[in-house]
Amino acid sequence: MRKLLLFSAMVMAAGLAPAAVAAAAPASAGDVAIQAGPTAQQLLAKTASCKQVSNGKYKTDDETGRTIAVCDAGSAVFWKADMDIDCDGQPTARCNKNTDPWFQPDTAYPRSDGKALIADQTPYIVVPSISSTWNFEKAGLKGAGSCAVIYNNKVLYTVIGDTGPKDIIGEASYATAKALGINPDPANGGVDSGVTYICFKNSKVSPIENHDKATSVGEGLATKFVQG
């Protein structure tokens, strides 16, 4: 769930060129690699202007004003916001009711085995619940849909894994934050700005929990997106 107070992330990747980071392999089974594909600059060039499709704007946190629009970009929609940490799903040593005061043991979209996602293993993002502000389903998005998340010149391919409050945007799983060099702590992690979320219309990753599949699907859709 949303966090009422965020602190800027203190952890950033140090000095690696995007291509070098893209080629890096996981250090261990619990890590997620930033994969190859279109560069962050190529993707961000497609988000330089906003054709707003949301009926209004979203807040990034409960205490902030409504400043974030959802924008249409042809085969995708995007928004530029902060990143709060979602640790919801199956309890783990990193994500549980003791580490996360807002912890919930389920996610809107389950794994292929019917169980909730595992937030510190699966890179996923959170979309706002359907409201008069924006209906993500009518925009062509759905659970397990493919998204690219861009931060600090790094690109990570993820899935839509959970839904959040109707008036707040900008949230992703522990695994997403960690892979992008953002402090993933559910209580005081996240980053206040600088994150771009690009979600591809009418896409689906199956199984939802397979990050390799999320990456291959995302790379293909992102390539078409930047060439379109």
Side-chain angles (χ1 to χ4, degrees), residues 54-105:
S54 54
N55 293 324
K57 294 184 177 181
Y58 286 96
K59 299 186 289 183
T60 55
D61 297 288
D62 281 337
E63 70 274 14
T64 62
R66 291 179 175 269
T67 60
I68 309 300
V70 179
C71 311
D72 185 80
S75 62
V77 297
F78 70 89
W79 55 94
K80 300 180 180 184
D82 66 340
M83 183 183 288
D84 292 347
I85 308 304
D86 189 338
C87 237
D88 293 345
Q90 295 185 48
T92 67
R94 294 168 176 155
C95 292
N96 57 68
K97 63 182 180 181
N98 295 319
T99 62
D100 180 4
W102 305 271
F103 179 76
Q104 298 291 328

Side-chain angles (χ1 to χ4, degrees), residues 47-199:
T47 69
S49 61
C50 177
K51 178 183 177 182
Q52 186 171 328
V53 291
S54 54
N55 293 324
K57 294 184 177 181
Y58 286 96
K59 299 186 289 183
T60 55
D61 297 288
D62 281 337
E63 70 274 14
T64 62
R66 291 179 175 269
T67 60
I68 309 300
V70 179
C71 311
D72 185 80
S75 62
V77 297
F78 70 89
W79 55 94
K80 300 180 180 184
D82 66 340
M83 183 183 288
D84 292 347
I85 308 304
D86 189 338
C87 237
D88 293 345
Q90 295 185 48
T92 67
R94 294 168 176 155
C95 292
N96 57 68
K97 63 182 180 181
N98 295 319
T99 62
D100 180 4
W102 305 271
F103 179 76
Q104 298 291 328
D106 55 9
T107 51
Y109 304 105
R111 290 160 44 106
S112 56
D113 60 7
K115 298 179 180 179
L117 294 172
I118 303 175
D120 63 4
Q121 293 183 15
T122 301
Y124 68 77
I125 73 159
V126 181
V127 293
S129 295
I130 293 171
S131 71
S132 58
T133 302
W134 183 52
N135 184 328
F136 66 89
E137 292 181 345
K138 289 185 177 179
L141 307 186
K142 56 187 175 183
S146 173
C147 300
V149 184
I150 305 164
Y151 177 73
N152 197 27
N153 290 320
K154 292 186 284 290
V155 182
L156 180 72
Y157 294 101
T158 69
V159 293
I160 296 173
D162 206 358
T163 57
K166 294 180 179 180
D167 58 349
I168 296 177
I169 204 166
E171 186 174 8
S173 68
Y174 184 112
T176 300
K178 182 180 179 182
L180 289 169
I182 295 171
N183 180 0
D185 189 290
N188 61 18
V191 67
D192 292 332
S193 62
V195 184
T196 300
Y197 303 80
I198 303 172
C199 291

